[in-house]
């Protein structure tokens, strides 16, 4: 390196103007160095912060890739290939994240530390020495001025001494400070080069080390993996381009074909009316009365589902039941000077709805479809062929139907003759797809030919044979609620009493009681049956959970409607999404087959307390289980105490016998005369009889006395 300029330390004592001028140049150079170092520090700080951010972002990316398999995408499904590929990527990126973390540490030590030390220590030292030098220089100038003003005529030794001492001190301080200041400025010329070169050297070494670690991690296997992934991406891109091209062509074809359909009322000669439909969907305007003479029209999407007319507002997840259109009447009507209006009236005449179609084609198709559904043609195997035979002409589909009273009277005997067990197959009106799913679920979880019980029936009414016959069910019928007659358990001593407000939805017999899917399937069956048969009434009760049973109590009379023994409740669960729904399975003996165990699932609706009720039932079963364990332990302890007491009695008897024998021996030894031998024999005989009496006990003594 070329020679570095220096401030002459030897000339600090003279303090000439040339020295001061040279000092000014060095001070300007120090200020320029400080400004430049601050900018360089900010740039390196940005590099360091960016590296830290990159390391954190890389780690976060690896974490998100690992959590991909836990995500539940509505349209993604279980793509194992994609999951395994992302897992491999996460491992590689995790290794790169470790390399980035090492690079961040090296940058902090080799790049940021040297420049920070130069900025915070060396440059601040220059500024501090400059301030101290300025103060010392000003003090020396003041002392010299005071010394120069000493009077020549009136000399005062004391004042002269003080001024001289002041000049000496200030001169010495200025000289020492100036020398240290010059030394620091001269050293700064070397430190500035070190402060710039050392961080850059550390930065380059850290980058080289990072690249080496990266090259070691990128093995041939990883390169092959990346090549395969690149090929897969290209294949997906080609497939996407082909699909986009197909969709664009489809859009163009549909635009050409749908151009006449953009008209609100297309020509029926070009687009004929389909009169043999048993399913229909589309937007309709529904008339809603807002007053005695005023009304409003709401536009919603309507569709048929089996024998039901459903509606769904835009943005709703599922549709709602509008009307049961089995055996209904439909006719064209004139309403408020609107075109294409028709009215649907339910079988019992309690509900009617006026709807408006957008075109004449939709208007006629809706009337034909509802007519076909009302005749229950949709239940046949070939509904369109039967509808074609029934509808002999297109005009009959749009003419007004017979009056409601006539239709009601003509259809009443047919409806009354239906058996009540039709509720079992009520889910079949949900369409062919849902019917297949229901059949599959019923075969695997729900017992066949099982009626759905929608009402709470007391045990007394269940035991009456006349009522069973009136309901249309043959054979022996067990109580679906598991009541066992007059047996009642006292719950006043139970340590758990929790009360919940519930509404009974229904119950039905099930095949299995081992999986919560049984409860979920029963919920689906009962809710579907209620929606199909337009059953909205529910019985509200209070559910009391204790340690020995579950009770349904009438909230008005506080009378127990039903009682479920807690040991018989073998399964309980809440709905996966709607936490207001919960159910439990009750296992009881008896049923359609004598001696066979049956399982009945009960479904209830609560006020957002389904999980709390299940937790309460689980707590009750745990308390009952521990109480049973304590009872068994107590009985076992009592048996052990009885055995100990019996052993104690036997030991007492043995001690008494030994005591009697010792007494007898003592008496025999005391008598030495032969004449007394006969008496001794009698005594021995008497003692042996006494010991026998003690062995026989009280009963033996009484028996011997009676014999005597």
């Amino acid at each position: 390196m070329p020679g570095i300029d220096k401030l002459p330390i030897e000339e600090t004592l003279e303090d000439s103007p040339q020295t001061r001028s040279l000092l000014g140049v060095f001070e300007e150079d120090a200020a320029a160095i400080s400004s430049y170092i601050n900018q360089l520090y900010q740039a390196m700080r940005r590099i360091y912060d960016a590296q830290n951010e990159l390391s954190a972002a890389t780690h976060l990316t690896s974490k998100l890739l690992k959590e991909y398999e836990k995500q539940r995408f509505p349209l993604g499904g279980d793509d194992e290939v994609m999951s395994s590929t992302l897992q491999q990527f996460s491992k590689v990126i995790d290794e790169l994240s470790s390399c980035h973390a090492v690079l961040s540490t090296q940058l902090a030590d080799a790049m940021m530390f040297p420049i920070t030390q130069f900025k915070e220590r060396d440059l601040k030292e220059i500024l501090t020495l400059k301030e101290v030098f300025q103060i010392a220089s000003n003090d020396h100038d003041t002392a010299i001025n005071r010394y120069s003003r000493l009077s020549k005529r009136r000399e005062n030794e004391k004042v002269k001494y003080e001024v001289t001492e002041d000049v000496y001190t200030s001169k010495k301080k200025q000289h020492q400070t100036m020398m240290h200041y010059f030394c620091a400025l001269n050293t700064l010329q070397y430190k500035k080069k070190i402060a710039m070169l050392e961080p850059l050297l550390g930065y380059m070494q850290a980058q080289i080390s990072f690249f080496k670690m990266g090259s070691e991690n990128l093995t041939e296997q990883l390169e092959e993996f990346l090549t395969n992934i690149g090929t897969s991406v290209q294949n997906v891109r080609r497939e996407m381009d082909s699909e986009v091209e197909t969709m664009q062509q489809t859009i163009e074809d549909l635009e050409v074909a749908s151009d006449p359909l953009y008209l609100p009322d297309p020509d029926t000669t070009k687009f004929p009316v389909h009169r043999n439909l048993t399913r229909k969907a589309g937007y309709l305007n529904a008339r809603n009365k807002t007053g005695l003479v005023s009304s409003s029209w709401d536009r919603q999407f309507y569709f048929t589902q089996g024998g039901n007319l459903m509606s769904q507002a835009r943005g709703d997840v599922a549709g709602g039941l509008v009307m049961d259109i089995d055996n209904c009447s439909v006719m064209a009507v004139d309403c408020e000077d609107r075109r294409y209006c028709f009215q649907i009236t339910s079988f019992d005449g309690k509900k009617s709805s006026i709807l408006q179609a957008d075109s004449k084609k939709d208007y006629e198709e809706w009337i034909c479809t509802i007519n076909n559904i009302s005749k229950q043609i949709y239940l046949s195997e070939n509904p369109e062929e039967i509808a074609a035979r029934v509808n002999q002409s297109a005009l009959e589909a749009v003419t007004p139907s017979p009056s409601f009273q006539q239709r009601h009277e003509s259809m009443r005997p047919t409806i009354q003759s239906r058996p009540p067990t039709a509720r079992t197959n009520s889910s079949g009106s949900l369409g062919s797809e849902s019917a297949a799913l229901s059949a599959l679920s019923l075969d695997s979880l729900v017992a066949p030919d099982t009626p759905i019980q929608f009402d709470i029936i007391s045990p007394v009414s269940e035991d009456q044979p006349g009522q069973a016959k009136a309901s249309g069910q043959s054979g022996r019928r067990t109580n679906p609620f598991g009541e066992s007659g007059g047996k009642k358990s006292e719950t006043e001593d139970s340590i758990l009493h929790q009360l919940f407000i519930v509404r009974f939805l229904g119950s039905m017999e099930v095949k299995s009681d081992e999986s919560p899917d049984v409860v979920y399937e029963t919920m689906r069956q009962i809710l579907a049956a209620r929606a199909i048969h337009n059953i909205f009434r529910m019985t509200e009760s209070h559910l009391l959970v204790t340690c020995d049973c579950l009770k349904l109590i009438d909230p008005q009379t506080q009378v127990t409607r039903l009682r479920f023994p807690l040991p018989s409740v073998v399964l309980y669960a809440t709905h996966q999404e709607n936490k207001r729904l919960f159910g439990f399975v009750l296992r009881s003996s008896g049923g359609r087959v004598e001696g066979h165990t049956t399982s009945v699932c009960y479904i209830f609706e609560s006020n957002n307390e389904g999980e709390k009720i299940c937790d309460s039932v689980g707590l009750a079963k745990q308390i009952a289980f521990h109480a049973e364990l304590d009872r068994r332990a107590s009985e076992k302890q009592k048996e052990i105490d009885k055995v100990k007491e019996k052993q104690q009695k036997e030991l007492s008897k043995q001690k008494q016998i030994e005591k009697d024998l010792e007494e007898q021996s003592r008496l025999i030894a005391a008598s030495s005369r032969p004449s007394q031998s006969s008496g001794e024999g009698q005594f021995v005989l008497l003692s042996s009889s006494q010991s026998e009496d003690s062995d026989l006990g009280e009963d033996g003594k009484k028996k011997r006395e009676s014999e005597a």
Side-chain angles (χ1 to χ4, degrees):
M1 289 186 180
I4 299 177
D5 295 331
K6 298 180 182 179
L7 283 170
I9 300 178
E10 298 82 3
E11 298 179 1
T12 53
L13 182 61
E14 183 179 359
D15 193 16
S16 63
Q18 291 81 6
T19 304
R20 286 290 183 118
S21 177
L22 185 59
L23 176 62
V25 174
F26 272 76
E27 288 178 345
E28 290 180 3
D29 183 73
I33 292 174
S34 177
S35 176
Y36 180 77
I37 289 297
N38 286 329
Q39 296 177 10
L40 185 61
Y41 173 81
Q42 295 296 331
M44 292 184 176
R45 186 70 189 182
R46 290 181 63 183
I47 294 175
Y48 177 68
D49 293 340
Q51 182 60 41
N52 287 335
E53 182 65 24
L54 180 60
S55 177
T58 308
H59 179 71
L60 179 60
T61 303
S62 174
K63 181 180 178 181
L64 291 175
L65 292 179
K66 291 179 181 178
E67 295 177 353
Y68 175 81
E69 60 182 1
K70 299 179 182 179
Q71 303 298 320
R72 294 294 179 265
F73 298 101
L75 300 178
D78 296 334
D79 192 350
E80 296 182 358
V81 177
M82 189 67 177
S83 299
S84 61
T85 303
L86 293 182
Q87 287 295 322
Q88 184 69 20
F89 268 117
S90 67
K91 294 179 181 179
V92 177
I93 295 178
D94 202 8
E95 294 179 359
L96 292 177
S97 176
S98 301
C99 296
H100 282 293
V102 173
L103 178 59
S104 298
T105 304
Q106 292 178 349
L107 290 179
D109 296 338
M111 182 180 72
M112 294 306 301
F113 180 74
I115 195 171
T116 303
Q117 286 290 97
F118 178 73
K119 176 177 175 291
E120 298 295 331
R121 185 183 63 185
D122 298 332
L123 293 180
K124 284 187 177 181
E125 181 184 2
I126 295 295
L127 294 177
T128 303
L129 290 174
K130 181 179 180 181
E131 293 177 358
V132 173
F133 171 70
Q134 291 292 341
I135 295 172
S137 179
N138 294 333
D139 292 344
H140 178 256
D141 292 341
T142 303
I144 287 295
N145 289 333
R146 185 181 177 187
Y147 179 79
S148 300
R149 290 196 301 269
L150 286 176
S151 177
K152 181 173 60 175
R153 299 176 182 176
R154 295 179 298 173
E155 291 185 0
N156 189 340
E157 294 297 332
K158 183 178 180 180
V159 174
K160 183 179 179 181
Y161 175 78
E162 291 178 356
V163 172
T164 303
E165 187 68 22
D166 191 13
V167 171
Y168 171 80
T169 304
S170 61
K171 183 67 174 179
K172 180 179 179 181
K173 182 178 180 181
Q174 179 191 9
H175 183 227
Q176 293 177 351
T177 305
M178 195 172 183
M179 286 190 297
H180 287 289
Y181 186 35
F182 279 24
C183 179
L185 289 175
N186 291 336
T187 308
L188 183 63
Q189 300 302 315
Y190 296 93
K191 288 184 177 181
K192 71 176 181 180
K193 298 181 179 180
I194 298 174
M196 288 187 291
L197 296 177
E198 190 175 5
L200 295 176
L201 179 62
Y203 173 73
M204 295 306 299
Q205 290 177 346
Q207 292 291 347
I208 292 172
S209 176
F210 171 73
F211 291 140
K212 285 183 179 180
M213 288 189 294
S215 63
E216 292 174 358
N217 293 329
L218 296 176
T219 59
E220 294 181 358
Q221 182 179 1
L222 180 59
E223 292 178 359
E224 182 180 358
F225 168 72
L226 295 177
T227 303
N228 295 333
I229 296 301
T231 305
S232 300
V233 171
Q234 294 299 326
N235 293 334
V236 173
R237 187 178 298 277
R238 284 194 295 269
E239 184 179 353
M240 180 189 68
D241 295 338
S242 177
E243 184 67 23
V244 169
E245 184 179 356
T246 303
M247 289 189 294
Q248 291 293 338
Q249 184 63 36
T250 303
I251 291 173
E252 293 177 2
D253 297 341
L254 289 176
E255 287 178 352
V256 175
S258 303
D259 186 68
L261 298 177
Y262 295 151
L263 295 174
D265 193 3
D267 189 1
T268 55
T269 58
K270 298 181 180 179
F271 300 95
V273 178
H274 299 282
R275 304 184 184 279
N276 304 326
L277 299 176
T278 55
R279 303 174 98 185
K280 179 69 175 173
Y283 280 95
L284 295 174
N285 296 324
R287 180 174 179 266
N288 299 320
K289 287 187 176 181
T290 57
L292 294 177
V293 295
S294 60
S295 61
S296 62
W297 293 81
D298 295 334
R299 185 173 179 83
Q300 286 188 347
F301 186 82
Y302 285 80
F303 59 96
T304 60
Q305 191 175 45
N308 298 322
L309 179 64
M310 315 289 288
S311 68
Q312 183 176 357
R314 186 172 295 174
D316 291 348
V317 178
L321 179 65
V322 177
M323 186 185 303
D324 185 358
I325 54 179
D326 276 343
N327 301 315
C328 72
S329 62
V330 57
M331 63 182 68
V333 295
D334 294 330
C335 183
E336 298 181 5
D337 196 22
R338 284 183 174 241
R339 300 183 302 169
Y340 311 134
C341 294
F342 58 95
Q343 180 176 354
I344 307 173
T345 306
S346 61
F347 172 77
D348 54 6
K350 294 181 179 180
K351 192 171 185 180
S352 63
S353 180
I354 296 178
L355 304 173
Q356 181 192 17
D358 294 337
S359 62
K360 184 178 180 180
K361 178 178 179 295
D362 287 342
Y363 160 74
E364 295 183 3
E365 285 183 352
W366 271 107
I367 293 178
C368 294
T369 303
I370 295 174
N371 264 325
N372 296 334
I373 294 175
S374 67
K375 299 170 185 176
Q376 297 184 353
I377 297 176
Y378 66 93
L379 297 176
S380 59
E381 294 182 358
N382 299 316
E384 293 188 1
E385 294 181 2
I386 298 177
R389 292 197 300 266
V390 173
N391 299 320
Q392 298 178 359
S393 64
L395 294 176
E396 293 179 358
V398 296
T399 54
S401 299
S403 63
F404 163 73
Q405 186 65 27
Q406 294 174 355
R407 186 162 190 138
H408 181 69
E409 295 296 333
S410 64
M411 296 299 294
R412 185 182 296 275
T414 304
I415 298 303
Q416 288 181 349
S417 64
R418 290 183 181 179
T421 56
R423 291 178 179 175
T424 306
N425 299 326
S426 61
S427 61
S429 61
L430 294 174
S432 59
E433 296 178 359
S434 59
L437 290 175
S438 299
L440 180 61
S441 300
L442 283 171
D443 290 341
S444 60
L445 299 176
V446 181
D449 300 331
T450 303
I452 299 177
Q453 185 68 49
F454 293 111
D455 298 325
I456 297 179
I457 300 178
S458 63
V460 177
S461 63
E462 282 289 316
D463 294 337
Q464 295 177 358
Q467 189 172 2
K469 292 180 181 180
S471 62
Q473 297 178 355
S474 61
R476 183 178 181 273
R477 181 180 178 185
T478 60
N479 186 0
F481 294 99
E483 287 292 325
S484 58
K487 295 182 180 180
K488 295 182 180 179
S489 63
E490 297 294 334
T491 60
E492 287 77 4
D493 296 335
S494 176
I495 62 175
L496 178 66
H497 284 79
Q498 290 190 349
L499 197 66
F500 303 93
I501 299 175
V502 298
R503 289 169 290 278
F504 180 69
L505 295 177
S507 64
M508 62 189 302
E509 186 176 343
V510 296
K511 280 186 176 182
S512 173
D513 54 11
E514 298 178 355
S515 172
D517 294 336
V518 178
V519 180
Y520 305 152
E521 176 62 21
T522 307
M523 289 179 181
R524 192 187 68 81
Q525 294 284 340
I526 291 177
L527 292 178
R530 278 183 168 270
I532 289 172
H533 292 282
N534 202 13
I535 301 174
F536 300 106
R537 183 176 62 86
M538 294 181 290
T539 303
E540 184 170 292
S541 304
H542 288 172
L543 178 64
L544 178 63
V545 181
T546 63
C547 293
D548 56 350
C549 67
L550 306 179
K551 285 186 177 182
L552 281 180
I553 303 174
D554 191 335
Q556 301 295 332
T557 62
Q558 300 300 316
V559 175
T560 301
R561 290 174 173 169
L562 294 174
R563 180 181 179 277
F564 308 101
L566 192 62
S568 300
V569 179
V570 296
L571 182 64
Y572 47 90
T574 59
H575 196 274
Q576 299 101 318
E577 298 177 357
N578 187 0
K579 299 304 180 182
R580 297 173 58 186
L581 300 179
F582 76 97
F584 58 84
V585 177
L586 188 76
R587 183 188 297 170
S588 59
S589 60
R592 290 176 292 181
V593 180
E594 293 295 336
H596 180 66
T597 302
T598 60
S599 299
V600 182
C601 184
Y602 299 86
I603 304 301
F604 296 87
E605 181 187 28
S606 64
N607 299 330
N608 296 324
E609 295 180 342
E611 292 183 345
K612 292 183 180 179
I613 295 175
C614 289
D615 293 341
S616 179
V617 174
L619 178 61
K621 292 182 77 68
Q622 289 182 3
I623 294 175
F625 176 72
H626 290 295
E628 180 66 18
L629 292 180
D630 295 340
R631 185 186 64 80
R632 293 182 181 179
S634 177
E635 291 180 354
K636 188 175 181 180
Q637 185 64 34
K638 288 181 180 179
E639 292 179 358
I640 294 174
D641 294 340
K642 287 182 180 180
V643 172
K644 289 182 178 180
E645 185 178 358
K646 186 176 180 180
Q647 292 177 353
Q648 189 68 26
K649 288 182 179 180
E650 294 292 335
L651 184 61
S652 300
K653 287 182 181 180
Q654 186 68 24
K655 289 182 179 180
Q656 185 65 31
I657 292 172
E658 292 177 356
K659 185 177 180 182
D660 293 341
L661 291 175
E662 290 177 359
E663 183 68 22
Q664 183 180 357
S665 300
R666 187 179 62 80
L667 292 174
I668 292 173
S671 64
S672 58
R673 296 177 181 180
S675 59
Q676 295 176 351
S677 61
S678 60
E680 292 174 358
Q682 294 176 358
F683 180 77
V684 171
L685 178 62
L686 180 61
S687 300
S688 62
S689 63
Q690 289 178 355
S691 63
E692 291 177 358
D693 291 342
S694 63
D695 292 338
L696 292 175
E698 294 297 330
D699 295 338
K701 288 180 180 181
K702 290 180 180 180
K703 185 176 181 181
R704 295 186 64 176
E705 289 177 0
S706 63
E707 290 177 355

